[in-house]
Amino acid sequence: MALDFHEMERKWQLYWEKNNVHKFDRKSKKPVYSIDTPPPTVSGTMHMGHAFAFTQQDFIARYKKMAGFEVFHPFGFDNNGLATALMVEKKKGVKQKNFGREEFIKIVLEETAEEEKKMLAAFKGIGLSVDWSLLYRTIDKPARKIAQYSFLDLHKQGRLYQREAPTMWCPSCATAIAQAELQDREEESSFCYIDFETTDGGKIGIATTRPELMPACVAIHVHPDDKRYKKFVGKEVKIPFSGGRTVKVFENRDVDPEFGTGAVYHCTFGDLDDVEWILETNLPVIEIIDKDGTFNEKAGILQGLRTLDARKKMIEELKKSGHLVKQEPIKHVVNVHERCKTPIEILTSKQWFVKYLDLREEYIARAAELEWVPEYMKKRLDNWINGLKWDWNISRQRHYGIPFPVWYCKKCGEALIAGEKELPVDPIKDKPKKKCKCGSTEFEGEKDTLDTWFTSSLTPQINCKWQEDKAFFKKMFPMDLRPQGHDIIALWAFNTIVKALFHERKLPWKTITINGWALDQHGKKMSKSLGNVVRPEEMLQKYCADALRYWAGLPVLGEDVPFMEKEMVSGKKFITKIMNASRFVEIVTKGVKEGGVDKKALEPEDRAVLSKLNRLVKESTEAFDKYEFSKALNPVRNFFWLEFADFYIEEVKTRAYNKKDKSGKAAAAVLQHVLWNCLLMLAPFLPHTTEEIAQTSFKKRLKGKSIHLEQWPKADEKFIDEKAEKLGESINAAIAAMRKEKTSAGKPMNTEVKKAVVFSGEELKQGLATIQRTMNVKEIELKKGEELKVELEF
RNA sequence: GGGCUCGUGGUCUAAUGGCAUGACAAUGCCCUUACAAGGCAUAGAUCGCCGGUUCGAUUCCGGCCGGGCCCACCA
């Protein structure tokens, strides 16, 4: 049947929205099931991973709805962050430093709105059961208010502090970043061996990949057990190109005597170790890099350059002066900023921090109370928490973002925090309502903005209208489910848990499901640089949304899955099969009164299929309750295709064509019953296809406006009958054997068989009539046989 | 380097202490009154490698190899 799947799917998407099928009813008496969905970053298009993860979360949402819950399934956009601003900078070819704050924000907001529209259409296109009226954005007023309120509350609890401290800094984005925003990148670099002279005429050699930090060198470290350097300990070493400074040689157990020369030159700040060493040794800090990434006046001959040029220049100068002994190529890992891939620097600046390292053990203990699906993902969080070294730096030196609700007194410098009633506040535009402690009324607003994770860690609070609607919050918090990817356990899951514990002393949800990634067909990560990105829109265009959803329903939750186009083909074929089988059922049952199955009129094939169906319902329900949706989809698919379509339908065709007698009516009733229940169980996976069939063939059965408002089927134990299934198996086996015979004889399946002899066990006697009908056999005989065998006479 | 995870016909996958599912691809036959976007059939796997427990291991245990993700990294 030629059917335009795209048109069909669009039709139902619009229908659901128009008829409020997925609308959350706050007043409903049903128990609530709420989902804290991941707000995708507005910085590009919907990618395969999105389609994969959101579809998986949608299976759960749709199932819960059918299982009797009032489902709260919102959708949000994360558009307050650096990623969004960088996307706009790139798209428009601009940089924030060339604009005033307000102007820049305006540009970003305009562009974001445009991108959002595209993304929204894409997400709607995969048929999510989202209540779109709940759409939120992390830059909108409610989110701003909640983020700032969170700041106030943390401040009240003494969880915030401001400190001038060495911080990981992105010289390209010109902002501080957090530990979680780091990424590794392996780089080819040059390992420089440099000889220093001691003040008493000796020579000590060091090796470094960062010679440009020479002017910031504050010490030399050697291992205390290293005999080669024992004599240098405590001596003064002359540092070239640093205005004749000398530094001391220290003993330090962190030094690896095997690496390089075994002597390390220590600069402020080359890497994270340097920061620790500075704190231990109480050495001076010499900062030679400015916030915009250029070397300053303390860098002497390197002033005005940026890191890479400075490195080149320093190497040249060291060569000329004879300090450079040799250079060798080296591969090493550098920390880069995940957003722009620029190697980070460590600079001292004034930043706001959330104090949270002290409660690491509590986080681990509380997080263990959550239901983790799959369970093993919890370890990733533990791992992360145990490795935490820094408090959470929440200051970003960016124009675009949620502002800190903070002013500083121009006279005494004291920070003044906004009052609850003033929120949301923009301290640049708005004036504080209070005086400073010192009596001054002159203030300057905080120019920094909050880290985007400071806000996105509050999605449960945003969804539950924290501080906005107290009754609603009480009803909804904590939420039931957080579905998210394993890549952001350390970021999103962790920060959300921390925030909920700080603010509410409660976990933010009951369950957390972790979905895997969509990889390319060879199991590699999809990335632009590898050129292996498959766009979901393309696949939707080529196949259809339900086919894509079918693919997302196959794997086990949490596993990474290679994207295979053939799964799309397979899904589409399945959909076609369902449509065709449904059409058959509709045709043969036309005019038959809908109703219960008459148990007395059942034939062996009916009893077998009903038994299997009811077992399947049980199995599928149990799987869904454990979030094992693939174990709900696969068995239904196999039952539908391999049992129902391949055998049952064929077995009852002749009965069903004759609707007048009891047996024919029973067949029609069973056909309808089995198909309808399969549709219900497939509805979470293939919402469009099942809706189409429900609306065309089962209109009378629909209690509400959509199949998605129907009750999930309940298994009826009365029908589960092992004996009936066994007989059914034997019947099917005999039919399969006859098909094989017909095939090898080159005959069509409907060819009349004059006589058939079946060698099998006694019990098959009750199934002979079914076999006869199905295979068009005139005369049939059962002979005793150990192994099943058939002989046909045409 | 540490943690977690995966490793089953050509490809992807299911289950399981005792005959290893199914899909896709391949091959052959069939226009059969739901379906050629289909049906039927055929062939194809020493279940990554090595060792242990066991009457018996693909399954449990240990080691190794390989893929993936996260974390830490040597200046």
Side-chain angles (χ1 to χ4, degrees), chain A residues 17 30 49 81 99-100 202 208 325 331 369 396 421 450 454 478 545 585 784:
Chain A
E17 213 174 330
K30 291 191 241 171
F99 292 86
T208 182
V325 182
K331 258 192 193 173
E369 292 169 26
R396 295 295 179 273
K421 293 201 176 115
L450 289 161
F454 189 84
V585 172
K784 247 202 182 138

Side-chain angles (χ1 to χ4, degrees), chain A residues 599-618:
Chain A
K599 261 194 111 172
K600 280 174 212 140
L602 296 181
E603 303 283 344
E605 64 269 28
D606 301 330
R607 280 194 286 272
V609 82
L610 286 171
S611 175
K612 279 181 189 160
L613 173 75
N614 281 287
R615 264 198 308 114
L616 184 68
V617 169
K618 234 168 112 178

Side-chain angles (χ1 to χ4, degrees), chain A residues 702-749:
Chain A
L702 282 178
K703 290 185 204 79
K705 284 189 165 152
S706 161
I707 189 171
H708 304 291
L709 296 171
E710 290 295 313
Q711 275 290 301
W712 185 256
K714 279 204 175 68
D716 188 343
E717 300 279 347
K718 285 201 300 285
F719 282 103
I720 298 181
D721 180 347
E722 217 175 300
K723 250 186 172 169
E725 281 190 48
K726 251 194 167 152
L727 177 60
E729 287 303 325
S730 302
I731 294 171
N732 291 354
I735 289 171
M738 288 189 187
R739 281 175 176 167
K740 204 166 153 183
E741 285 299 308
K742 281 190 174 178
T743 297
S744 58
K747 306 271 186 195
M749 282 302 139

Side-chain angles (χ1 to χ4, degrees), chain A residues 454-488:
Chain A
F454 189 84
T455 307
S456 39
S457 58
L458 293 163
T459 50
Q461 285 85 345
I462 294 172
N463 279 318
C464 301
K465 302 184 189 299
W466 193 38
Q467 299 304 317
E468 186 71 44
D469 186 336
K470 296 240 159 92
F472 189 72
F473 188 78
K474 206 175 160 215
K475 180 184 162 95
M476 302 293 287
F477 191 94
M479 297 180 80
D480 290 288
L481 177 69
R482 153 64 69 86
Q484 65 159 74
H486 54 50
D487 53 325
I488 49 173

Side-chain angles (χ1 to χ4, degrees), chain A residues 388-406:
Chain A
L388 269 180
K389 277 189 185 161
W390 301 55
D391 274 336
W392 183 7
N393 175 4
I394 53 168
S395 296
R396 295 295 179 273
Q397 289 64 48
R398 299 289 307 187
H399 290 334
Y400 179 74
I402 295 183
F404 280 77
V406 176

